């Protein structure tokens, strides 16, 4: 089954065609990120306007690319209607991210997806953006002429850490559609911590990527004895739960920056911040592994693109939990994209009437708030 996924929750506009939840045939992503650099953060109104501008060209490009890859001839000179029919025959169902996200951005994707469902009379599946991030770990195949690559897919029960710009959640999955929330941030999300501290360091938007790049360069160039990475707090790690808190980090970094006598370079500060965030995430996740004993550990969301986070998880899992399979997405599927929406819909196939599907900006990983 081929599903057309649509994702417009924030500043990315994306459409993808994924076959049987694992094979990405096309994944087109446009972003309005560049338009938010000057303001140092997303302007929701601007993001929504860009969604409107991008959505149809992105879907069209995705369907055209799919037809091309499947060797379907689109050049029907006699009839545009015929070409349109060929384009829409390249998928069996539509999946759309209905939340959480920015309301203006969400509405664009949701209403467009409903229109596509209405016009094509195909089933439509509403998808939770946060759950979809976990499905990046099922996107194991790319469409090439040789698709015989051996698949290694996550097994259940699984523990999943979703780390995005607005959310940080730890969930236990007994199966597809059987998700239990076991912990998460009480204040700022991990991505937010990266972004806000990056801004304090004077780095451009989106801060997470710039901060981690600076930190990695610093770590790679360490010649002398490395410093102790204990400059900033790891809150709540000794509490007997799976909750996290990152708002204190921002304050600690601000205090350090205001201290005129500090002699720590910006790259070292970046490394100290990255280490504080990453260690806290890994520490709490390993604690959850001890309790829930999953077969697989999955990470997803923008912060799962972080090199150091993956390195630390890989090291800890291979030394202390060799029976657990660790999965981290390819970076292009960590950040917002529609392929994960389509994959999630395949494994959680629950079509709804288009009339009842609505954007829900406040959706949580386990449903309504
Ligand atoms: O999942 P995502 O693309 O969008 C949301 O759903 O929020 O996540 C975006 C977040 C941003 O906070 C961004 O700074 C962070 O992911 N991010 C990173 C990295 N790449 C993206 N944080 C740390 N290291 C990275 N390499
Ligand atoms: Zn996201």
């Amino acid at each position: 089954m081929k599903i057309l996924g649509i994702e417009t929750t924030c500043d990315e506009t994306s459409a993808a065609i994924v076959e049987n939840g694992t094979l990405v045939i096309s994944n087109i992503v446009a972003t309005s990120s560049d338009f938010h650099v000057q303001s140092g953060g997303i302007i929701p109104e601007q993001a929504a306007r860009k969604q409107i501008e991008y959505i149809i060209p992105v879907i069209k490009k995705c369907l055209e690319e799919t037809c091309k890859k499947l060797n379907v001839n689109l050049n029907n000179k006699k009839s545009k209607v015929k070409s349109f029919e060929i384009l829409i025959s390249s998928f069996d169902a539509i999946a759309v991210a209905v939340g959480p996200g920015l309301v203006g951005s969400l509405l664009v994707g949701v209403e467009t997806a409903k229109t596509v469902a209405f016009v094509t009379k195909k089933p439509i599946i509403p998808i939770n953006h946060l759950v979809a991030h976990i499905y990046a770990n099922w996107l194991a195949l790319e469409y090439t002429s040789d698709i015989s690559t051996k698949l290694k897919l996550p097994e259940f029960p699984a523990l999943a850490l979703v780390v995005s710009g607005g959310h940080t959640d730890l969930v236990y999955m007994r199966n597809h559609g059987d998700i239990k929330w076991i912990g998460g941030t009480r204040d700022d999300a991990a991505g937010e911590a990266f972004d806000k501290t990056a801004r304090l360091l004077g780095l451009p938007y989106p801060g997470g990527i710039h901060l981690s790049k600076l930190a990695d360069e610093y770590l790679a160039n360490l010649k002398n004895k490395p410093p102790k990475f204990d400059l900033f707090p790891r809150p709540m790690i000794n509490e007997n739960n799976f909750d996290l808190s990152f708002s204190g980090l921002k304050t600690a970094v601000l205090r350090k920056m205001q201290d005129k006598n500090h002699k720590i370079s910006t790259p070292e500060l970046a490394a100290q911040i990255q280490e504080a965030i990453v260690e806290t995430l890994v520490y709490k996740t390993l604690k959850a592994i001890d309790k829930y004993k999953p077969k697989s550990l999955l990470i997803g969301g923008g912060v799962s693109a972080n090199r150091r986070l993956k390195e630390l998880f890989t090291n800890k899992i291979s030394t202390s939990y060799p029976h657990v399979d660790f999965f981290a997405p390819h970076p292009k599927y960590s950040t917002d994209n529609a392929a994960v929406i389509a994959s999630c819909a395949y494994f959680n196939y629950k079509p709804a009437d288009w009339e009842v599907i609505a954007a829900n900006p406040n959706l949580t990983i386990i449903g309504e708030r």
Side-chain angles (χ1 to χ4, degrees), residues 129 133 164-166 191-192 194-195 207-209 212 301-303 305-306 334-336:
H129 172 89
H133 267 311
S164 72
E192 208 174 345
F194 268 108
D195 295 342
I209 299 154
S212 68
V303 180
N306 186 273
S334 286
T335 46
D336 290 349

Side-chain angles (χ1 to χ4, degrees), residues 65-82:
E65 187 177 278
T66 300
C67 289
K68 205 170 154 200
K69 288 197 180 165
L70 300 177
N71 288 325
V72 177
N73 185 10
L74 270 175
N75 293 331
N76 195 310
K77 291 198 178 74
K78 283 192 196 117
S79 158
K80 278 203 165 166
V81 175
K82 189 84 190 123

Side-chain angles (χ1 to χ4, degrees), residues 118-136:
F118 175 73
V119 171
T120 62
K121 302 186 186 66
K122 296 193 189 206
I124 176 166
I125 305 110
I127 291 297
N128 182 320
H129 172 89
L130 297 173
V131 177
H133 267 311
I134 301 170
Y135 281 85

